[in-house]
Amino acid sequence: MTVDAFDDSPEAISSTKRAYAASLKLGITKGTDRSRAVLAMAEAIKRSFDDILEANTLDLEASREMAIPDLILDWLKLTPKRLEATVEILQRLGELSDPLRRVRSADYQLEDSQTYTQLMPLGVIAFIYEAFPELGAIAAGLCIKTGNCLILKGGTEASHSNAVIADALQAGIADAGLPLGCIELIQTEHGASIRDLVSQDNYLNLVIPYGRASLVQQVVRQSTAPVLRSAMGNCYLYWSLNGSLEMVRWMIVDSHCSQPDPVNAIEKVLIHRQAMPSSLITLWNSLQEKGFEIRGDTELVEAFGQLQLAKDGEWGSAYLTKTIAFKLVDSLEAAIAWINQYSSGHADCIVTESYQESRQFALGVNSASSYINASPRFTRNPARGDGVFLGMSNQKGHRRGFISLESLTTVKHIVQGNGRF
């Protein structure tokens, strides 16, 4: 864990108070002004490319000296391409229509009045994240677009990068004339406490943790404000007897292609017990040629000596590397039961030519999303539609599935009377 320890700090309190005061003004700002601010943030990030990359180099050097895991170093290392993608996301957010003030008819109507609902800002959102410096900018774009103020709390491994990015974002906010406090960065390394931040429920409306499961669980345990849990890795695939070998291979490989964080990467594969051994060997050889490490359950390891044994604790946890564990199951029902017990619950897949099996799987797995003969690959800025996504949530509370603009809003019911009583 590379996020700061739990120490008492007044910075978290003062930051949430400033953000809360700013949110009262930002929440009633016109959509055109918020869009202009997001575009200004994009330009500020573009102007700061060299400074951001220089700061990132300092973070990488310090992290290597502290023996930070390679996984975190991969998440931490910024490239011009990653920064350009961040600017593109902010520009796209700035050009989208205003997600607020959308009027919808209410499910009920009162006599002599008209009832409707509108999407409104949540208020103040805290984003707590490991590495991934550019995610602070993307979270800021999503929040400002939806009229929310944002408090950023990154890990110490990215402290220089986060500070330069936050300066650029705040400069964009100032250029657009939005109130001070719209974006706050908690950067005191030895005094800023996650606990102090997430317990400010008088001012804080939502907390979003992003990183390894240990960080997410830490925030969930400590927070008195609502938490929108994100999930990463440990997605399952069930390979039906009538499913295509080539489809399985493609889905696994493609799901790992999102960089630097393959959120929906398939890490576990359940195989029907009657599958052809030759098909399994062909698949494993193909995956190994692409750099994957292959593991298996006890039964598979006994039958195929080249496999490494997957320990019991691995089935319910994410590898977050190019590692795939395979397990034999007796039926689709058994596969669904296993997935519901051990999957991370945000994206699970099936390869089958049976419509009945596909429906049974889609409705039976307790996951936020299910993929039928389709890669679950996660994309923050997909080419189609208006969606821009921060991550994936596996919970059934505030929001489930893709963390999007609408995930950062709430609903207000408005009753318009006609003066009769």
Side-chain angles (χ1 to χ4, degrees), residues 358-397:
S358 69
R359 291 295 296 164
Q360 185 176 348
F361 181 88
L363 298 177
V365 292
N366 189 20
S367 305
S369 55
S370 57
Y371 295 80
I372 303 163
N373 300 328
S375 169
R377 181 177 176 178
F378 175 80
T379 303
R380 284 203 165 80
N381 190 18
R384 298 181 180 180
D386 290 341
V388 174
F389 308 117
L390 184 62
M392 289 283 288
S393 174
N394 59 352
Q395 69 185 46
K396 291 186 177 180

Side-chain angles (χ1 to χ4, degrees), residues 23 25-32 34-35 96-104 117-123 142-149 399 405-412:
S23 71
K25 301 176 182 178
L26 182 63
I28 57 175
T29 301
K30 293 181 179 179
T32 53
R34 285 181 272 111
S35 294
L96 292 176
S97 61
D98 185 9
L100 300 181
R101 314 293 188 259
R102 292 178 182 172
V103 177
R104 300 173 178 174
T117 63
Q118 274 187 224
L119 292 182
M120 303 291 289
L122 289 170
L142 288 164
C143 285
I144 298 301
K145 184 72 175 183
T146 51
N148 294 293
C149 291
R399 286 291 193 273
L405 287 169
E406 191 163 335
S407 304
L408 308 184
T409 64
T410 187
V411 173
K412 173 179 283 189

Side-chain angles (χ1 to χ4, degrees), residues 63-202:
S63 295
R64 290 190 183 103
E65 291 178 1
M66 293 188 294
I68 296 294
D70 290 342
L71 173 68
I72 302 300
L73 290 176
D74 288 341
W75 292 354
L76 174 60
K77 184 178 181 180
L78 287 176
T79 62
K81 184 177 180 181
R82 281 174 65 175
L83 285 177
E84 288 165 4
T86 300
V87 170
E88 289 175 3
I89 288 175
L90 291 175
Q91 291 172 336
R92 185 177 182 189
L93 283 171
E95 293 165 359
L96 292 176
S97 61
D98 185 9
L100 300 181
R101 314 293 188 259
R102 292 178 182 172
V103 177
R104 300 173 178 174
S105 179
D107 294 334
Y108 67 95
Q109 295 293 329
L110 301 177
E111 273 190 52
D112 296 324
S113 64
Q114 181 182 11
T115 305
Y116 58 95
T117 63
Q118 274 187 224
L119 292 182
M120 303 291 289
L122 289 170
V124 180
I125 296 173
F127 185 53
I128 302 172
Y129 54 117
E130 279 185 298
F132 298 119
E134 75 275 26
L135 283 192
I138 295 172
L142 288 164
C143 285
I144 298 301
K145 184 72 175 183
T146 51
N148 294 293
C149 291
L150 176 67
I151 302 173
L152 296 169
K153 176 68 180 77
T156 56
E157 75 285 342
S159 57
H160 295 92
S161 307
N162 291 339
V164 176
I165 289 174
D167 285 344
L169 296 172
Q170 290 167 343
I173 289 292
D175 290 343
L178 293 189
L180 297 176
C182 284
I183 298 175
E184 291 282 328
L185 174 69
I186 296 179
Q187 54 187 338
T188 305
E189 293 188 5
H190 299 294
S193 147
I194 295 177
R195 180 180 57 197
D196 286 339
L197 174 59
V198 300
S199 61
Q200 300 302 313
D201 53 277
N202 285 339

